[in-house]
Amino acid sequence: MAGIASPIGVFDSGVGGISVLAALERTLPMEDFVYFGDTLHAPYGTKPEAEVLGYVREVMSHLMVRDVKAVVIACNTATSVAAARLREELTLPIIGMEPALKPAAEHRRGGAILVLATPMTLRLPKFQALYARYGEGAEPLPCPGLMDLVEQEDFAQAESYLQKLLQPYDLRQVDAVVLGCTHYVFLRPVLRRLLPDNTLILDGNAGTARQLARVLSKRKLLREAGAGSITLETSGSADAVLPQMRRLLALARTLETGEASFLPQTL
Ligand code: DGL
């Protein structure tokens, strides 16, 4: 039976959720995290919904065996597909992600908001509902293939991809770019180069970490002492993927610090 001493499960289709993990670690340094990257089944965002739901269920079973006290779905796509269903079925806290469209709308200065996410995230009802509320001036931009470039750590190709994607826009009129996929957070430095200085780049990572802290505190599951730890796991080849995960975790830790000034206080 999971309790206060149990770890927190975190998962994504691959390495994208590592960017979320860095935010969780920063907010809750006393907790143990088990991160699972479902590399074998990546990408999620261009596959049929039912197939992704099946993968998410497999990952959840894996994490439950680790006796986790909460799960963070560090993936916008998997959240859109499965979070509501899992919350109905399970009693443990499930924290999901959504594109940071609300903070973007709050900081809009009359210009455009570009929302980059997987085709599935943008298609499903969860985003459609968010868009209906906060979508004024926002343009959803599906980015099939972009997560794969992050998985390959091919940041040069990712830069060309983004350049082409943004080419039709007058970027001086873009108030914010929303990173609606956790993989894209690794592209912050690339985007910073492509965008004017005053265009905000927003992701949901810090907000998700705060939400996890709130939920754990409410359920009296928050650790108040001790040194935390991170365990990395993958459904892919451990020899290839674990070193990559460690590399990207180190990168994510620097990204957060480097870009914190671009995050509005309300996020
Ligand atoms: N990291 C993912 C997200 O936040 C999913 C990418 C994918 O598997 O297509 O949406």
Side-chain angles (χ1 to χ4, degrees), residues 12-13 43-45 75-77 118 121 147 180-183:
D12 177 43
S13 59
Y44 282 175
C75 173
N76 292 265
T77 309
T118 67
T121 295
M147 80 74 90
C181 167
T182 54
H183 281 77

Side-chain angles (χ1 to χ4, degrees), residues 228-241:
S229 70
I230 288 180
T231 306
L232 300 170
E233 299 181 348
T234 174
S235 57
S237 146
D239 285 351
V241 180

Side-chain angles (χ1 to χ4, degrees), residues 174-221:
V174 175
D175 288 340
V177 171
V178 174
L179 306 179
C181 167
T182 54
H183 281 77
Y184 307 166
V185 179
F186 287 106
L187 303 174
R188 270 181 173 276
V190 172
L191 275 163
R192 200 66 271 168
R193 277 199 295 280
L194 299 177
L195 294 167
D197 286 351
N198 59 354
T199 301
L200 290 168
I201 302 173
L202 300 173
D203 65 62
N205 289 359
T208 298
R210 278 202 295 276
Q211 176 64 6
L212 173 64
R214 267 193 298 269
V215 171
L216 289 180
S217 163
K218 214 166 133 197
R219 299 219 191 179
K220 308 226 175 317
L221 286 171

